Amino acid sequence: MMKSVLYAMVLSLLSFAVLAEHHGKKKPSFDELDTNGDGVLSRDEVKGPLADHFDTIDADGDGVITKDEMPEKPPRKKTY
């Protein structure tokens, strides 16, 4: 009984630590994503949902994402 209570407490603490770590992370700004400093985001500079939806976000189809094309909220990952 005591062993299972202790186990549950440890799992709860670990879960809380993981959630706190992810919750406190700030999404990178456009300038932080623009690793080469050219004022636009190319395919090789983006990951995750921005990469998954690159062609949709690149509204004018010029192969880069500008600050004006960036969505206010990041797109959600594709789920199938």
Side-chain angles (χ1 to χ4, degrees):
M1 171 81 174
M2 186 65 142
K3 192 175 183 179
S4 61
V5 170
L6 182 60
Y7 182 70
M9 288 175 56
V10 169
L11 282 177
S12 295
L13 288 172
L14 288 174
S15 298
F16 179 75
V18 169
L19 288 173
E21 179 181 332
H22 288 290
H23 181 70
K25 286 190 178 177
K26 178 181 92 78
K27 300 289 183 201
S29 69
F30 186 92
D31 293 329
E32 291 169 331
L33 292 171
D34 181 17
T35 56
N36 64 3
D38 64 356
V40 295
L41 301 178
S42 60
R43 284 186 191 275
D44 62 340
E45 291 176 302
V46 297
K47 296 177 186 159
L50 285 177
D52 293 342
H53 300 277
F54 191 92
D55 293 328
T56 304
I57 298 168
D58 177 21
D60 60 7
D62 64 353
V64 295
I65 298 173
T66 64
K67 281 186 180 183
D68 291 338
E69 292 172 321
M70 278 291 282
E72 288 184 29
K73 291 185 177 184
R76 302 185 89 174
K77 285 196 173 200
K78 294 178 184 177
T79 55
Y80 298 97

